[in-house]
Amino acid sequence: NQKIRFMAAGVTHTIDRVGIFSPKPEEVTSLGPGEIGFINSGIKNVSDCKVGDTITDDRNPTPKPFPAQPIP
């Protein structure tokens, strides 16, 4: 039930579930920086989530979005 903020869109959502694919979906308690996984948060508007957006904690946000990384 952590609240997260999508920095590009400026919207907040509550996380319902966090997980990884191993190879099937498996719930975990958290994802750390650089880890690949998924979150479910009941987003209803596609415009709320942009590719490459920085997702941060709503109560303790990072000061600025992380820079975009080029795709090799």
Side-chain angles (χ1 to χ4, degrees):
N1 291 321
Q2 177 184 0
K3 281 196 171 245
I4 54 172
R5 181 182 309 167
F6 290 80
M7 295 189 79
V11 297
T12 60
H13 291 281
T14 302
I15 294 177
D16 297 323
R17 190 174 107 168
V18 178
I20 58 170
F21 293 103
S22 178
K24 295 184 180 203
E26 177 183 326
E27 279 194 52
V28 296
T29 56
S30 66
L31 291 173
E35 292 183 316
I36 297 172
F38 65 86
I39 57 172
N40 291 111
S41 63
I43 298 169
K44 303 295 185 209
N45 297 315
V46 174
S47 61
D48 286 357
C49 186
K50 303 191 183 314
V51 173
D53 196 357
T54 298
I55 301 172
T56 186
D57 184 76
D58 188 48
R59 284 189 254 157
N60 186 24
T62 187
K64 61 182 181 176
F66 295 110
Q69 298 295 316
I71 299 173

